[in-house]
């Protein structure tokens, strides 16, 4: 049974790239369909049932898909638990290797959703919530430059790809949290991070010491000159 399940799940694979900036966010969803899933997808595109997928049929699919799913895309991510306004800038949808005969050859779907954030993320503590799914084999999350990673939950097999800007990579997992006195679980990932204030930056203390030394040297110089 486990072997059959793993084979079935391998027919569709999802990957998410999330790039968070102080004033915006880009979510790119990569979908790969193989074997029977690829055939079923092509059959759904083949509106006239002639066993051929045309560019016109793909264009019609993209138009109807984006019209019906746009509102759902607003539920895929949250910043600061929804306490900042997230609005949609643009959506693009592209299908690759989809035209031609209805076959089981791999078929690829890429969706890029760009959001704006207002007000932009300033100094302090912040959080990013991303909807999950058991078929998301890889999730990459990039945080704004200069921020400090505090924690992450709901991301399995996590690796830190880069330190600044922080980039995490893993697999979509189950997040646990408390609602009142009860433990609750969901397929989602939460990343908490901190954008330091100016005075918390590592270079501030050496800078202040340097300025103080310059002032001391200036005072000594003026006294000797007098």
């Amino acid at each position: 049974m486990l072997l059959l399940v793993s084979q079935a799940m391998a027919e569709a694979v999802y990957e998410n790239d999330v790039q968070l900036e102080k004033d915006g966010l880009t979510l790119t969803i990569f979908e790969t369909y193989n074997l029977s899933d690829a055939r079923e997808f092509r059959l759904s595109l083949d509106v006239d049932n002639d066993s051929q997928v045309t560019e016109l049929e793909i264009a019609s699919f993209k138009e109807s898909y984006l019209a019906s799913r746009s509102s759902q895309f607003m539920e895929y991510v949250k910043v600061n638990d929804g306490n900042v306004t997230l609005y949609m800038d643009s959506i693009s949808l592209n299908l690759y290797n989809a035209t031609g005969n209805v076959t089981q050859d791999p078929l690829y779907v890429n969706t890029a959703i760009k959001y704006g954030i207002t007000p932009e993320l300033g100094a302090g503590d912040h959080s990013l919530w991303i909807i999950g799914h058991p078929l998301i084999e890889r999730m990459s999350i990039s945080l704004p430059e200069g921020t400090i990673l505090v924690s992450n939950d709901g991301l399995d097999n996590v690796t830190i790809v880069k330190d600044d800007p922080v980039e995490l990579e893993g697999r979509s997992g189950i997040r646990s949290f408390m609602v009142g006195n009860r433990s609750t679980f969901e397929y989602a990932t939460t990343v908490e991070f901190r954008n330091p204030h100016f005075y918390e930056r590592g270079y501030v203390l050496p800078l202040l010491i340097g300025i103080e030394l310059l002032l001391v040297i200036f005072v000594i110089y003026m006294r000797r000159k007098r």
Side-chain angles (χ1 to χ4, degrees):
M1 288 180 63
L2 290 174
L3 179 61
L4 291 174
V5 170
S6 64
Q7 288 176 340
M9 291 182 66
E11 294 179 11
V13 178
Y14 296 82
E15 299 179 61
N16 285 358
D17 280 351
V18 182
Q19 294 185 340
L20 178 64
E21 302 291 343
K22 293 180 180 180
D23 60 351
L25 184 151
T26 301
L27 168 63
T28 307
I29 304 170
F30 302 95
E31 305 171 51
T32 301
Y33 296 92
N34 299 292
L35 305 175
S36 62
D37 278 351
R39 177 177 173 79
E40 290 298 324
F41 201 124
R42 289 187 173 91
L43 286 172
S44 69
L45 297 172
D46 183 22
V47 180
D48 58 9
N49 297 317
D50 65 350
S51 298
Q52 290 282 329
V53 178
T54 65
E55 292 288 354
L56 186 61
E57 287 172 324
I58 290 176
S60 176
F61 167 79
K62 289 168 64 174
E63 182 179 358
S64 61
Y65 178 83
L66 292 176
S68 63
R69 295 291 296 276
S70 292
S71 60
Q72 295 182 17
F73 292 143
M74 294 303 300
E75 302 174 3
Y76 282 15
V77 290
K78 292 180 183 178
V79 178
N80 290 355
D81 297 322
N83 292 322
V84 297
T85 301
L86 207 64
Y87 59 91
M88 195 175 300
D89 273 339
S90 64
I91 310 174
S92 63
L93 174 65
N94 292 291
L95 280 70
Y96 302 96
N97 199 36
T99 57
N101 295 331
V102 175
T103 66
Q104 292 189 351
D105 293 340
L107 186 153
Y108 309 96
V109 183
N110 294 355
T111 308
I113 311 149
K114 293 187 177 182
Y115 307 85
I117 298 174
T118 182
E120 69 175 39
L121 303 180
D125 297 323
H126 302 285
S127 66
L128 171 65
W129 179 93
I130 310 159
I131 195 169
H133 192 282
L135 295 185
I136 300 177
E137 297 283 352
R138 185 187 67 86
M139 183 179 288
S140 176
I141 304 170
S142 177
L143 300 179
E145 188 174 353
T147 58
I148 300 170
L149 176 66
V150 176
S151 66
N152 69 87
D153 189 14
L155 194 63
D156 296 339
N157 304 323
V158 184
T159 57
I160 307 296
V161 180
K162 289 173 60 180
D163 290 327
D164 191 16
V166 174
E167 184 177 338
L168 307 172
E169 192 171 291
R171 179 172 181 167
S172 178
I174 297 176
R175 169 182 174 252
S176 61
F177 57 101
M178 299 295 295
V179 176
N181 296 323
R182 186 175 64 179
S183 295
T184 306
F185 304 90
E186 65 177 359
Y187 248 114
T189 298
T190 296
V191 177
E192 296 182 348
F193 59 97
R194 178 172 178 78
N195 185 18
H197 292 83
F198 173 76
Y199 54 82
E200 295 178 293
R201 303 286 183 180
Y203 59 81
V204 172
L205 182 58
L207 178 63
L208 293 176
I209 293 175
I211 293 173
E212 187 174 351
L213 287 174
L214 286 174
L215 290 174
V216 171
I217 293 171
F218 177 75
V219 170
I220 294 173
Y221 170 78
M222 293 301 295
R223 286 182 177 178
R224 286 183 176 181
K225 188 175 181 181
R226 289 178 183 177

